[in-house]
Amino acid sequence: MRELNMVSPGKFQWLDRPPPTLVSDTDAIVRPFIVGRCDGDQMPTSRTLLRALRFAQKARLLDPILREGFGPKPYTEPCAIGHECVAEVTAIGTGVTEAAVGDLVVVPYPVSCGQCDTCQRGLTSKCTTTRTDESGRQRTVSWYGHGPATGPYGGMASDLFRVPYANHMLTAVPDGLDPMRIAAASDNLSEAWRATVPHLRQRPGARVLVVGGLARAVGLYAAGIAVTHGSQVDYLDSDPERLLIAKSLGANAIKRPHLVTFPRPRPLYDVVVDASNLPAGIVHAIRATAPGGACVTPSYHFGLRTGLPMMYMTLNDINLYVGLNHPAHSLPEVLAWVNRHDFPAEKVTTHVASWDDAPSAYATRTTKLVLYRPPLNAE
């Protein structure tokens, strides 16, 4: 069986692995036929970025939670990669009642049990069961596709992989929904939904700003979701390709001169989504938020300090929302929403590559890469 691995920064290979087996009666084996490359995978796909990340962590310039969560050497080679997929179920344990062989499913990237206290509260990315290792110590996160420090689950860019707690972990693809439309539902698409829809429900007719940047696909999905929700949306970015995609999704595309350059915030917005991954970007997003508004940051800010304008937030009663995506909890609603609203998420996909070409394709510099092979029932 083949498993896609990062073997050195920016370089990927298929490695031979034993095929997965059912370890528990609540396990399932799935065959991914669509794999999306997450925005976060810019790190292992870029030799420069990953080496800079490792240097900065070694120099203690980053938040110590990164060392705790991803180990002293993030993405230790060989690192099984991939954490967004649509798959078909090929085997199930005797205790699996919510899925059957042949079903098309989305698998969330955080592994969770569905039964512990945090899972019951909807915080499935902080599942206490799956974050506890054999020694009884708790990992910071328990994820697919991020290296051994995040658990023994491997990556989703694999011919087959095992899914524990399958009754909870597998979400069926709704009838009639094109699987290519939800290639990123495991992470980027559900993250964008989390950053927009709950806040727009509380603020009908809200004016929305999306600050684009390094969280490329998340920002574009967020802009499109907000437009579909009926909002007037401005999308701010420096990248011509992303600006065109945002425009095709119905947003007003505003060009800024450079990735790290931000104009003076004007006007102010009821909901602002920071998809920049940049310290200057989050500061811009906060200062662009209207009094009483919501500023949501789904992007990752690694540094020890981000320079948040706390007094500005206090005097303007700004609500800053940070946190993890919990797709095992939200995926049924997300997929139903995409299906019901006919949301064209596939517009964000900029390159579809053959499954066999994954080693070279995964390092391609493009906004959203999707790997594809036909499902078994189509062959």
Side-chain angles (χ1 to χ4, degrees), residues 5 37 46 48 90 99 126 133 161 179 192 215 219 274 291 337-338 346:
N5 275 247
R37 187 183 66 188
S46 169
T48 301
T90 61
K126 300 303 292 182
D133 64 20
F161 67 90
D274 165 43
W337 187 93
V338 170
E346 69 279 3

Side-chain angles (χ1 to χ4, degrees), residues 112-128:
S112 56
C113 72
Q115 297 298 317
C116 67
D117 178 64
T118 51
C119 283
Q120 288 294 300
R121 290 160 53 201
L123 305 176
T124 53
S125 289
K126 300 303 292 182
C127 172
T128 54

Side-chain angles (χ1 to χ4, degrees), residues 194-220:
R194 178 187 74 89
T196 50
V197 173
H199 305 286
L200 295 175
R201 285 174 176 169
Q202 297 175 14
R203 299 170 173 83
R207 186 168 185 176
V208 176
L209 171 67
V210 176
V211 183
L214 297 179
R216 303 167 181 173
V218 170
L220 290 168

